[in-house]
Amino acid sequence: MSLEEKITAVEGVFEKLDQEIASFQAWSGLHCAWGCGKCCYKADIEATPLEFLPFAYHLYQQNLAHDWYDTLRDRDTSLCVILNPTQAGAGLCSEYKHRGLICRLFGYSARTNKYGRKELVTCQVIKTEQAAQYEAAQQTVGEEGGLPVMNQYYMQLHGIDFELTREFFPINEAIKRAIEVILHYYAYRE
């Protein structure tokens, strides 16, 4: 599979996931608070390079890949470089369209517990501020499903490229490695 085909495949996984999440949000009534982004401030978010390959490709197409790479190389922070706390809007991601899988999954996905039951993975803000909807959604998810399952989506990415998904890195390192893949690939094709 070519690099472009991998990028298209990842974007396809993301589109399917976004549709499933929109469906879940519609029936559950759960939603992020306007402008919250509290989950983005978690310092130990990890990701795989493959989930940021579409973002890295977007940067390359905009002639920004080298600048972003330099920023990532030189910046010593554990907070995601895409986080923009001064941004007005529904979230604080400056590249929301190109966010990674972990960013898409958190809040609106399930994990499978040791008993094989699905458990909703969401933030404390949603659990407390939308307690009734959360409890109803958790009950429905445990009984019927109706929610994306984290490990199933990671396995889909794994099927696209084993090497770029076999190891998790701090989010900025994952983004930097995705940019390296893109720059390396196109360095020999220009």
Side-chain angles (χ1 to χ4, degrees):
M1 184 181 297
S2 74
L3 186 64
E4 289 93 352
E5 290 170 328
K6 289 177 187 181
I7 292 165
T8 300
V10 171
E11 291 171 336
V13 169
F14 288 173
E15 286 173 24
K16 180 180 176 228
L17 174 60
D18 290 347
Q19 291 170 0
E20 284 189 51
I21 289 171
S23 174
F24 170 74
Q25 288 176 310
W27 69 257
S28 70
L30 294 176
H31 59 280
C32 292
W34 184 259
C36 180
K38 187 174 179 180
C39 57
C40 299
Y41 285 97
K42 195 169 179 336
D44 61 348
I45 298 171
E46 291 189 335
T48 65
L50 185 64
E51 60 194 277
F52 283 100
L53 211 54
F55 176 56
Y57 183 63
H58 166 74
L59 293 175
Y60 179 78
Q61 290 179 311
Q62 302 299 312
N63 294 319
L64 297 171
H66 289 284
D67 293 339
W68 273 77
Y69 182 82
D70 292 343
T71 298
L72 287 159
R73 185 193 61 218
D74 298 340
R75 187 181 278 180
D76 185 29
T77 180
S78 57
L79 291 179
C80 180
V81 295
I82 298 174
L83 177 66
N84 182 358
T86 62
Q87 177 173 301
L92 305 179
C93 184
S94 65
E95 298 294 334
Y96 191 78
K97 179 182 176 186
H98 301 288
R99 68 199 187 283
L101 184 62
I102 188 59
C103 309
R104 293 166 192 271
L105 285 169
F106 187 76
Y108 304 105
S109 64
R111 66 176 169 233
T112 307
N113 68 20
K114 65 182 180 180
Y115 304 107
R117 287 186 53 114
K118 292 179 185 172
E119 297 176 331
L120 178 59
V121 177
T122 196
C123 69
Q124 195 60 40
V125 174
I126 288 175
K127 287 178 184 178
T128 56
E129 293 182 6
Q130 301 169 54
Q133 295 100 317
Y134 168 75
E135 288 300 326
Q138 179 60 41
Q139 185 67 32
T140 302
V141 167
E143 293 171 358
E144 303 168 18
L147 182 63
V149 179
M150 283 185 165
N151 68 336
Q152 292 173 359
Y153 272 90
Y154 277 105
M155 289 307 292
Q156 288 178 46
L157 289 189
H158 189 73
I160 295 169
D161 188 313
F162 167 76
E163 284 300 316
L164 292 176
T165 58
R166 73 179 165 85
E167 193 172 352
F168 285 79
F169 299 95
I171 196 162
N172 291 332
E173 181 65 22
I175 296 168
K176 185 175 90 156
R177 287 176 183 244
I179 294 171
E180 286 173 348
V181 168
I182 294 292
L183 291 176
H184 182 264
Y185 181 83
Y186 287 106
Y188 297 104
R189 285 163 179 78
E190 294 181 339

